[in-house]
Amino acid sequence: MAIVVYKELSLESQESETGVSPILVMEEKNMVSNAIDGYVFAAKLADVQAKGSLLVNLEKHAIALFYSNDQVYAIDNRCPHMGFPLHGSTCKDGIVTCPWHYARFDLKSGGTFDSWADDVRGFPVQIRDGEVWVNLAPQVDPYVHQRQRLQDGLQHSISLVIAKSAIALLDLGADFTEPFQIGLEFGTRYNKNGWDTGLSIHTCLMNLLPYLDAEDRPRALYQGLSAVARDSANAPPHFVVHPLPNFSGDIDALKSWFRQFIERRDSEAAERCLVTAIRIGASSKQIADMLFASATDRRYIDVGHTLDFINKALEALDAVNWQGSEGVLASLVAGLANATRMEESNSWRYPVDLVEILEAAFEQLPKALELGQSHRGNWSDFEQLIPILLGEDAVAIADALLTALKAGCTEEQLAGAVTYAAALRVARFHTNNDRSDWNTAHHPFTFANAVHQGLRRVPSPELLRGVFDAAMSVYLNRFLNIPPAKLPEPKDGLENPAELLKQLPELLDRQQQVNQVGQLVAQYLYAGGKPETLMAMLGKLMLRENRDFHVIQEMEAAFRQYSLLGQTPAGVHVLVAAARYLAAHAPTMRSQEQTYQMAYRLHRGDRLFEES
């Protein structure tokens, strides 16, 4: 290898090249030296003693040498927090302190005393005949280290640490499912209220990865992990109960008991039934059926969130091949048992008793399904059903759903029709309404989507009741479309839809652009624009905002529905609804994006402390 010697630069050249002074840099000489046991020559001991600290460059490593307490130490010159040079930093009692944010490091090991900073890489040092030799061989497995740092970031809810470790893991070759599973396991073990918004955001963003540009996928993973950390901050662990000992019954008995215990709000007993079902080998469909049945024993519980959480937990387990299913599923039980029930709500009882209408319809469900069995799949009255679902007669809505089933409509088709009707409430939401009413329109859509996705997984009669619940929640929100916002119609003369799409980021930089954004999205699609390009753009613009549970929920549900509807008028309307909802909640402070950008630039090697 080439040996290196040093020459001292003038003060002016030192500052222009490095931003710190004084330092020594190396000059290569055409001389050959031996590296012994992985060590390479770094500097003369006398030079380090005289200066107190030196910056040397060895095989692309910028290394700060410190002389303290008659010993020489070598650490990476970049502070692992935000990349500030450590050379020249204050060194006292074997501790070096970064002058930017005052992170403190043990010189010998590189270990930090501040969890937000991360350990700085330390290099073993030997003194040989008045020379400093440094071992450049890796001392720590970077993959193991970054996994631990992700855990640290989750435990302490430090967004920058989460972002840096997620980016590093992916760069080291990890699949997205690996950090996703770390977040999933952490969030279901450490939680205040069981499965909540953070874990749903985490799963929604995992579901959105296929729709996003490659550069935005790590950003989505980071936002999901950060949401989990926020929900889990300072929360005690949840200890899953043990299964019933030597249980010899069957899944049907456990399902019945589980529903009884949820009805009585006995979460511990219900959890034991669920864990027992998993231990005896119940299939994923049987587990899903058990959960969905209890979630639809009562009407539209917790404004649809509970069933949506169940669906998201199942989708999360799909992503990780059902590893850790006990902890994930156990996290759902408390929310399921303690959810509010619309039987207790005035709006579902007066002036029209919707619960009474639904119970009468449920009595007819078995017969309706039986009558439709012989011609299932031949139903084609989708367009005729939608106006009834958006109408003002709750009895007519329940009757129309039953009629569709008798005519051969499948559970999945019926759920899809109601989900589309719910999306139209958002697409036709008039901006004269109060801003908080956006969520009133939003909840039936994401609930209906969850029911739809659930029925695609397990088309059970119990879950089918959720379709009727969703239809009644759409009925209750009819006032939000008085007057209805106009649905955009196709226009002639647009030859280059890609140019139109370029206007979208600027529109979403301004408030009150709801109708303009909806119009742009519709015209882009009607003019033949690529829907995958549009969804990637909408995802990018969503991720630049500070994370908002309902916005992410809305976008994920809309993309899922579009993937089923395709480039039809209904598919266009669903994306218009999502884009209008995003516009109603943008712009924000965007501090989460700033944190991600810092992490990305640090990973790339940028100097954040220098003027750009």
Side-chain angles (χ1 to χ4, degrees):
M1 60 177 292
I3 191 169
V4 290
V5 298
Y6 300 90
K7 64 177 182 179
E8 189 162 0
L9 299 176
S10 67
L11 182 61
E12 292 80 5
S13 62
Q14 290 173 44
E15 291 177 341
S16 63
E17 293 188 25
T18 68
V20 293
S21 63
I23 63 169
L24 292 179
V25 296
M26 294 180 295
E27 190 179 64
E28 287 196 6
K29 298 292 183 182
N30 294 322
M31 299 168 62
V32 177
S33 173
N34 294 321
I36 305 171
D37 299 330
Y39 284 84
V40 298
F41 170 74
K44 293 179 180 179
L45 176 61
D47 290 335
V48 183
Q49 290 172 325
K51 299 292 184 180
S53 68
L54 288 179
L55 176 64
V56 297
N57 292 287
L58 301 174
E59 299 181 8
K60 299 182 180 180
H61 294 284
I63 298 175
L65 301 176
F66 288 89
Y67 185 75
S68 177
N69 298 330
D70 299 324
Q71 293 190 57
V72 176
Y73 302 94
I75 59 174
D76 193 293
N77 189 50
R78 284 168 54 89
C79 175
H81 178 221
M82 293 186 69
F84 197 79
L86 290 173
H87 162 258
S89 299
T90 301
C91 178
K92 184 179 180 182
D93 298 327
I95 296 175
V96 64
T97 302
C98 176
W100 201 6
H101 295 94
Y102 307 106
R104 299 158 300 170
F105 306 94
D106 166 30
L107 272 175
K108 189 168 186 179
S109 68
T112 184
F113 297 97
D114 303 287
S115 59
W116 42 267
D118 199 359
D119 298 333
V120 70
R121 181 177 174 183
F123 299 87
V125 172
Q126 290 184 0
I127 306 300
R128 301 173 179 174
D129 299 326
E131 296 178 337
V132 178
W133 288 68
V134 175
N135 192 334
L136 301 180
Q139 305 297 308
V140 177
D141 183 334
Y143 201 85
V144 173
H145 177 73
Q146 293 301 337
R147 281 179 59 93
Q148 182 57 56
R149 285 303 287 162
L150 179 53
Q151 289 282 358
D152 295 341
L154 290 168
Q155 289 171 9
H156 297 283
S157 194
I158 307 173
S159 293
L160 182 60
V161 172
I162 292 170
K164 289 195 293 186
S165 57
I167 292 169
L169 279 171
L170 295 175
D171 193 50
L172 288 167
D175 187 82
F176 282 91
T177 55
E178 184 173 348
F180 172 77
Q181 185 172 0
I182 292 173
L184 180 65
E185 292 177 351
F186 183 86
T188 52
R189 179 165 175 77
Y190 299 96
N191 55 72
K192 303 180 187 73
N193 304 308
W195 187 286
D196 211 333
T197 57
L199 285 162
S200 286
I201 289 173
H202 190 42
T203 307
C204 281
L205 291 171
M206 185 68 180
N207 289 342
L208 284 170
L209 292 185
Y211 300 96
L212 300 176
D213 289 336
E215 65 182 20
D216 291 322
R217 292 169 188 164
R219 181 180 281 106
L221 180 65
Y222 148 71
Q223 287 212 16
L225 289 164
S226 295
V228 169
R230 177 193 60 197
D231 271 9
S232 301
N234 301 316
H238 173 73
F239 297 102
V240 178
V241 301
H242 296 294
L244 295 169
N246 303 315
F247 178 75
S248 59
D250 56 24
I251 186 64
D252 290 335
L254 291 170
K255 176 182 175 182
S256 175
W257 294 342
F258 182 78
R259 294 168 72 177
Q260 290 178 43
F261 291 133
I262 292 297
E263 174 65 22
R264 299 170 191 166
R265 302 189 184 276
D266 187 343
S267 58
E268 183 179 5
E271 183 178 329
R272 195 163 204 195
C273 291
L274 182 60
V275 172
T276 303
I278 298 168
R279 290 288 183 92
I280 66 170
S283 68
S284 60
K285 285 189 175 182
Q286 288 173 319
I287 295 296
D289 178 51
M290 189 173 176
L291 291 163
F292 284 135
S294 62
T296 51
D297 281 340
R298 291 288 182 169
R299 310 281 54 80
Y300 195 49
I301 58 176
D302 199 22
V303 200
H305 283 131
T306 303
L307 192 140
D308 184 66
F309 288 175
I310 291 171
N311 183 60
K312 283 291 165 283
L314 295 172
E315 290 174 347
L317 287 174
D318 290 341
V320 298
N321 295 317
W322 281 68
Q323 297 181 54
S325 59
E326 284 188 17
V328 172
L329 296 172
S331 72
L332 296 166
V333 177
L336 188 53
N338 298 318
T340 58
R341 300 165 178 179
M342 287 303 105
E343 288 90 340
E344 303 159 346
S345 168
N346 286 333
S347 63
W348 281 64
R349 290 291 193 179
Y350 183 83
V352 178
D353 194 332
L354 300 181
V355 176
E356 184 178 275
I357 294 170
L358 289 173
E359 288 175 349
F362 296 157
E363 290 180 4
Q364 301 179 59
L365 266 180
K367 185 65 173 178
L369 289 168
E370 182 183 349
L371 290 172
Q373 187 64 39
S374 60
H375 36 281
R376 281 170 66 86
N378 296 323
W379 180 75
S380 59
D381 290 336
F382 180 91
E383 294 183 1
Q384 289 73 29
L385 179 59
I386 301 303
I388 300 173
L389 294 174
L390 296 173
E392 299 194 10
D393 188 337
V395 174
I397 291 170
D399 288 344
L401 296 175
L402 289 168
T403 299
L405 291 171
K406 293 173 185 175
C409 179
T410 65
E411 295 90 343
E412 183 180 338
Q413 287 176 314
L414 197 67
V418 173
T419 305
Y420 172 58
L424 286 177
R425 289 283 189 232
V426 183
R428 293 177 172 178
F429 183 94
H430 203 286
T431 52
N432 286 342
N433 288 302
D434 187 81
R435 186 178 182 276
S436 64
D437 278 332
W438 277 105
N439 285 342
T440 307
H442 157 83
H443 287 130
F445 173 56
T446 52
F447 171 74
N449 172 68
V451 174
H452 189 192
Q453 303 302 332
L455 284 168
R456 297 180 70 213
R457 180 187 299 271
V458 51
S460 70
E462 291 95 346
L463 181 54
L464 183 57
R465 296 174 300 184
V467 177
F468 287 74
D469 287 350
M472 290 302 146
S473 66
V474 171
Y475 159 80
L476 282 173
N477 290 342
R478 61 198 183 282
F479 71 95
L480 297 175
N481 297 150
I482 301 175
K486 292 183 179 179
L487 291 172
E489 296 180 356
K491 289 184 178 180
D492 297 329
L494 184 62
E495 296 181 356
N496 191 348
E499 288 299 316
L500 183 65
L501 195 59
K502 292 179 181 179
Q503 302 173 27
L504 191 56
E506 183 181 350
L507 280 175
L508 289 171
D509 277 334
R510 307 198 302 270
Q511 295 181 340
Q512 309 298 327
Q513 302 300 305
V514 170
N515 293 326
Q516 294 88 333
V517 167
Q519 182 74 25
L520 184 151
V521 166
Q523 295 311 317
Y524 172 83
L525 291 171
Y526 285 138
K530 295 180 179 179
E532 58 271 20
T533 303
L534 170 64
M535 288 189 283
M537 174 67 79
L538 287 172
K540 183 185 297 291
L541 297 175
M542 175 192 73
L543 288 168
R544 72 178 182 174
E545 306 295 339
N546 276 9
R547 58 177 178 262
D548 179 276
F549 169 49
H550 289 134
V551 172
I552 294 170
Q553 224 190 354
E554 180 84 15
M555 201 69 67
E556 190 259 357
F559 286 14
R560 282 294 191 89
Q561 288 299 311
Y562 185 86
S563 69
L564 298 172
L565 293 165
Q567 184 64 353
T568 62
V572 172
H573 296 156
V574 166
L575 291 183
V576 166
R580 295 182 85 242
Y581 192 87
L582 175 62
H585 297 82
T588 67
M589 290 286 290
R590 301 179 182 174
S591 58
Q592 287 292 315
E593 172 61 11
Q594 182 182 11
T595 299
Y596 178 81
Q597 285 295 334
M598 285 192 294
Y600 176 73
R601 290 178 60 196
L602 286 166
H603 182 75
R604 194 172 58 184
D606 292 357
R607 297 181 178 182
L608 301 187
F609 51 89
E610 294 182 350
E611 291 185 9
S612 57

